[in-house]
Amino acid sequence: MTKQVYAVILAGGSGSRFWPASRTQRPKQLQPLGPGDGTLIEQTVQRLLPICSAERMLIATGKHLVEATRKILPGLPETAMLAEPQARNTAPCIGWAAERVARIDPDAIVVVVPSDQYVAKPEAFTDALRRAIDVASTGVVVTLGIKPTRAETGYGYLHAGAAEAGVNELRAFKEKPNRKTAERYYQSGEYFWNAGIFVFPAGLMLEHFNVCLPKMGESLAALRAAAKQGADAEERAVADFFANAESISIDYGVMEKIGAKGQLKMVPADVGWSDLGSFQTAWELSEHDARGNAFVGDVEQVETSNSYVLDLRSGRTGLTALVGVEDLIVVHTDDATLVARRDRCQEVKQIVEALKAAGRTDLL
Amino acid sequence: MTKQVYAVILAGGSGSRFWPASRTQRPKQLQPLGPGDGTLIEQTVQRLLPICSAERMLIATGKHLVEATRKILPGLPETAMLAEPQARNTAPCIGWAAERVARIDPDAIVVVVPSDQYVAKPEAFTDALRRAIDVASTGVVVTLGIKPTRAETGYGYLHAGAAEAGVNELRAFKEKPNRKTAERYYQSGEYFWNAGIFVFPAGLMLEHFNVCLPKMGESLAALRAAAKQGADAEERAVADFFANAESISIDYGVMEKIGAKGQLKMVPADVGWSDLGSFQTAWELSEHDARGNAFVGDVEQVETSNSYVLDLRSGRTGLTALVGVEDLIVVHTDDATLVARRDRCQEVKQIVEALKAAGRTDLL
């Protein structure tokens, strides 16, 4: 029998590498970044619709983002929002989501995906997820392994083992490698990018929590018991759960541990995936003119190359004129303009820190 | 007897190297550029007040700029504005101004100064002008020679001859030199920057026009004759004069010719003068932080050096954040942002040309 499929979209990130586009109240996933249409979270929902109906999508996000997120996704039911009272990394919210689904159907398959990634080939992505769902339906946890297209040092890797019927054993999770190691990974063909996409039966994940994070597993059981006493009790229990939960990623907390025991499989996926981690990546993914420029907005240039302009101002009435510059990123919002060297745009985080230190919350 | 002093402020320039600050309807001289207070033309008027009362100042500017200029200079009389019906370079408008003054008093001394320059030492400037006025009062044309502070290739030079009592003979006008020649000029101590500042008796200048530009001299005589028939006749004659006048600079048309005949003297001046020719110069003249940055506006930076931010937006509410850039210029106006490599900011002219070609007059 085909299992029911639920999607859990992780939408709690702050995306400070995308300041000034990304803001506390409207972070990266709620912004129209990258080459796709609409906000990243809308693109994520669209991508998942072929394998999961809107009624079975859950959006795990911060309490302060629930309203803004709901507005962007009016097609989802009221109950879709899992509002995290506190940011506690990914393990607690995935545990909570698994518990919510398992309560309805412990055999249902849960697909966990980040909300702020870019996928160039959505159909190939759907196909890969379908294979992962099939594998997960046999009672294992599955992760997608993204086939590398370059020796990237900015991603974590999955070391794949033996393959059978399009599914690999998973030997190990690997941290972001240095340049030399990344080259070796890429040449070997045995390493895949870890996109943080996991597929598993809901009940099975709770069992893994009980083993790998027993305290959190216990709390999840308490949460279920409280939920039986009504909505108010559940709400209090959720607050309690997050207040006391360890802040830990699902990778460290569960996946690496079950991987080491051979309880995690990998489905390789060649889907044009990108974590869209910075404006640098956004520029890379964009269509370029002959000089390597990508412009979104009203731009004139003289002898400018390999540069990126992104005008996100509400009116978008202003001209941006570039003269003799190269490898530059210019981002306009209504209240701020970022001008950064393209290969250093990750350091925009330091601007965010400086603004925090100066108490300039209006710009955060 | 001390001669009356009139000032003629040349304010007809377009200043396209200062786009987007400088606009057709509000060019460079009407902008608060450089380190001084207020617009450049206000600074020019202030600088001249010690040697010339406001009632004897004339502003030569384009018809389309009269209203905007008048608003910036409410202290000048209505009659101060010499509205050029057509831009015809400097000789026609200086001839016209000399004629206007000579009509009142042919012995009066006329001081011609551009409206868009910067002077760091206004008192030294006044002193130099006083010396020039004294010399001119003996019946010669005088120009200020700015003592060079570096081997500048961007200015024209005056080759000074023998000096007597602080006044030099003038051997020759020299075009902008190449690097090597500029070094030689600078080392020799015989060359001075040509700032386009001239001092002369009004009637004498008309005589020089009659010799050097006889057709224009004739037209000026006709203009005077028409003026005697009333304001309407004068207005028609002015329109006629500019419609038919040769477009030629006072340097080429008159000064070089009388210089060759020994009829032009030079008063050296060490006054902290700059033509304020581009944003590059504006940055040079500004106070810098330890990293060589000069910021006018709300700016945060990370590892940014030798850069210049100039926020001229009316509200000036937006933050400009710079990350990892160097030698960059960022200029904001309400409808445009310029981002230029500092050493190439003169090429902003090409942006202006492109906007013209595209018919985007709102941005010009």
Side-chain angles (χ1 to χ4, degrees):
Chain A
M1 192 194 94
T2 309
K3 306 283 168 76
Q4 290 234 315
V5 174
Y6 284 79
V8 176
I9 298 174
L10 303 178
S14 67
S16 61
R17 280 175 299 180
F18 276 101
W19 184 92
S22 182
R23 298 297 179 90
T24 313
Q25 297 304 322
R26 206 170 180 85
K28 180 186 169 194
Q29 64 273 14
L30 306 187
Q31 297 288 344
L33 296 166
D37 288 332
T39 62
L40 292 174
I41 199 168
E42 285 173 283
Q43 295 177 41
T44 303
V45 165
Q46 283 300 319
R47 246 188 333 262
L48 291 170
L49 278 175
I51 57 125
C52 171
S53 71
E55 295 78 49
R56 287 198 290 275
M57 288 188 184
L58 296 169
I59 313 287
T61 188
K63 253 199 168 128
H64 62 296
L65 296 176
V66 166
E67 274 319 299
T69 306
R70 210 195 291 276
K71 263 190 198 153
I72 285 176
L73 301 171
L76 298 197
E78 281 280 315
T79 51
M81 294 291 154
L82 296 183
E84 305 166 40
Q86 273 143 305
R88 284 283 188 258
N89 211 327
T90 51
C93 80
I94 290 174
W96 181 26
E99 195 285 311
R100 280 276 293 260
V101 175
R103 216 189 287 173
I104 305 162
D105 176 3
D107 292 331
I109 303 300
V110 176
V111 176
V112 172
V113 294
S115 61
D116 59 354
Q117 303 180 335
Y118 175 71
V119 172
K121 299 185 267 184
E123 282 164 30
F125 181 78
T126 312
D127 289 345
L129 274 188
R130 283 206 185 94
R131 282 200 310 281
I133 290 164
D134 286 347
V135 178
S137 299
T138 66
V140 289
V141 182
V142 183
T143 184
L144 285 201
I146 307 293
K147 195 167 182 296
T149 53
R150 61 187 182 275
E152 173 67 50
T153 58
Y155 297 149
Y157 280 74
L158 303 166
H159 188 186
E164 202 188 317
V167 183
N168 290 74
E169 301 293 326
L170 184 66
R171 286 199 211 164
F173 282 74
K174 296 288 182 185
E175 299 283 340
K176 293 176 186 178
N178 60 26
R179 167 67 43 206
K180 203 179 142 197
T181 308
E183 286 292 347
R184 183 168 60 79
Y185 285 0
Y186 182 52
Q187 296 303 329
S188 75
E190 291 179 6
Y191 293 82
F192 293 77
W193 292 338
N194 177 7
I197 298 172
F198 301 102
V199 184
F200 48 79
L204 175 63
M205 183 50 61
L206 292 179
E207 288 170 31
H208 284 312
F209 267 79
N210 286 334
V211 176
C212 302
L213 295 168
K215 194 163 167 281
M216 209 179 289
E218 225 171 88
S219 303
L220 287 169
L223 188 55
R224 176 181 296 205
K228 283 181 184 151
Q229 291 156 36
D232 285 356
E234 182 174 7
E235 201 181 325
R236 279 195 304 276
V238 167
D240 231 45
F241 173 70
F242 276 91
N244 298 308
E246 186 183 356
S247 182
I248 188 170
S249 75
I250 194 76
D251 293 54
Y252 285 111
V254 177
M255 298 301 169
E256 295 192 12
K257 292 173 187 167
I258 66 173
K261 292 191 257 180
Q263 297 169 328
L264 181 59
K265 307 280 184 192
M266 190 199 87
V267 166
D270 185 1
V271 299
W273 174 91
S274 166
D275 79 336
L276 202 57
S278 68
F279 288 120
Q280 162 77 6
T281 322
W283 168 79
E284 281 167 3
L285 293 172
S286 300
E287 263 189 61
H288 301 141
D289 65 19
R291 303 182 63 103
N293 298 310
F295 298 146
V296 179
D298 187 6
V299 180
E300 285 282 348
Q301 61 81 25
V302 171
E303 305 221 359
T304 289
S305 57
N306 300 315
S307 291
Y308 184 45
V309 174
L310 179 60
D311 191 343
L312 294 169
R313 290 176 290 193
S314 30
R316 202 187 275 175
T317 50
L319 178 76
T320 304
L322 304 176
V323 175
V325 299
E326 53 188 9
D327 302 319
L328 207 69
I329 279 175
V330 178
V331 180
H332 294 293
T333 63
D334 284 329
D335 56 1
T337 297
L338 169 70
V339 181
R341 228 175 78 175
R342 188 161 50 70
D343 59 352
R344 297 184 63 176
C345 60
Q346 302 225 6
E347 292 170 45
V348 71
K349 280 181 158 183
Q350 293 182 41
I351 295 284
V352 175
E353 291 311 314
L355 293 174
K356 264 184 205 159
R360 304 193 60 180
T361 45
D362 56 315
L363 286 165
L364 294 171
Chain B
M1 194 192 94
T2 309
K3 306 283 167 76
Q4 291 235 314
V5 174
Y6 284 80
V8 177
I9 297 174
L10 303 179
S14 67
S16 61
R17 279 174 301 181
F18 276 100
W19 184 93
S22 182
R23 298 299 179 87
T24 313
Q25 298 303 323
R26 206 170 180 86
K28 180 187 168 194
Q29 63 272 15
L30 306 187
Q31 297 288 345
L33 296 166
D37 288 331
T39 62
L40 292 175
I41 198 167
E42 285 174 282
Q43 295 177 40
T44 303
V45 166
Q46 283 301 320
R47 245 186 337 262
L48 291 170
L49 277 175
I51 56 124
C52 171
S53 70
E55 295 78 49
R56 287 197 290 275
M57 287 188 183
L58 296 169
I59 313 286
T61 188
K63 252 196 170 130
H64 62 295
L65 296 176
V66 167
E67 274 318 300
T69 306
R70 209 196 292 276
K71 264 190 198 153
I72 287 177
L73 301 171
L76 298 197
E78 281 279 314
T79 50
M81 294 291 155
L82 296 183
E84 304 166 41
Q86 273 143 306
R88 283 284 188 259
N89 211 326
T90 50
C93 80
I94 290 175
W96 181 27
E99 195 285 312
R100 280 276 295 260
V101 174
R103 214 190 287 174
I104 305 163
D105 176 3
D107 292 330
I109 302 300
V110 177
V111 175
V112 172
V113 294
S115 60
D116 59 354
Q117 302 180 335
Y118 174 71
V119 171
K121 299 186 266 183
E123 281 163 32
F125 182 77
T126 312
D127 289 345
L129 274 189
R130 282 205 185 97
R131 283 200 311 281
I133 290 165
D134 285 346
V135 178
S137 298
T138 68
V140 288
V141 182
V142 181
T143 183
L144 284 201
I146 307 293
K147 195 168 183 295
T149 52
R150 61 185 182 276
E152 173 66 51
T153 58
Y155 296 150
Y157 281 74
L158 304 166
H159 188 186
E164 203 190 314
V167 184
N168 290 72
E169 302 294 324
L170 184 67
R171 284 197 213 166
F173 282 75
K174 296 288 183 186
E175 300 281 339
K176 291 177 187 177
N178 60 27
R179 167 67 44 207
K180 202 178 141 198
T181 307
E183 287 292 348
R184 184 166 60 78
Y185 285 180
Y186 183 52
Q187 297 304 328
S188 76
E190 293 178 5
Y191 292 81
F192 293 77
W193 291 338
N194 177 7
I197 298 173
F198 301 102
V199 184
F200 47 79
L204 176 62
M205 183 51 61
L206 293 178
E207 288 169 32
H208 284 313
F209 267 79
N210 286 333
V211 175
C212 302
L213 296 167
K215 195 165 165 279
M216 209 179 288
E218 225 172 89
S219 302
L220 287 168
L223 187 54
R224 175 180 296 204
K228 285 181 184 154
Q229 290 157 36
D232 284 359
E234 180 175 8
E235 200 183 325
R236 279 195 304 275
V238 168
D240 232 47
F241 173 70
F242 275 92
N244 297 309
E246 187 183 355
S247 182
I248 187 169
S249 76
I250 194 76
D251 292 53
Y252 285 111
V254 176
M255 298 301 169
E256 295 192 11
K257 291 173 188 167
I258 67 173
K261 291 191 258 180
Q263 298 170 326
L264 181 59
K265 306 280 183 192
M266 190 198 87
V267 164
D270 185 0
V271 298
W273 174 91
S274 166
D275 80 335
L276 201 56
S278 67
F279 288 120
Q280 161 78 4
T281 321
W283 169 78
E284 282 168 2
L285 293 172
S286 300
E287 261 188 63
H288 301 142
D289 66 19
R291 304 181 63 104
N293 298 312
F295 298 147
V296 179
D298 187 7
V299 180
E300 286 281 350
Q301 61 82 25
V302 171
E303 303 220 1
T304 289
S305 57
N306 300 315
S307 291
Y308 184 46
V309 174
L310 179 60
D311 191 343
L312 294 169
R313 289 175 290 192
S314 30
R316 202 188 275 175
T317 50
L319 178 76
T320 303
L322 304 177
V323 175
V325 298
E326 53 187 9
D327 302 318
L328 207 69
I329 280 174
V330 178
V331 180
H332 294 292
T333 63
D334 284 328
D335 56 1
T337 296
L338 169 70
V339 181
R341 227 175 79 177
R342 190 162 48 71
D343 60 351
R344 297 184 63 176
C345 61
Q346 302 227 4
E347 292 171 46
V348 70
K349 280 181 159 184
Q350 293 181 42
I351 296 282
V352 174
E353 291 311 313
L355 293 173
K356 265 184 205 161
R360 304 193 60 181
T361 46
D362 55 315
L363 287 164
L364 294 172

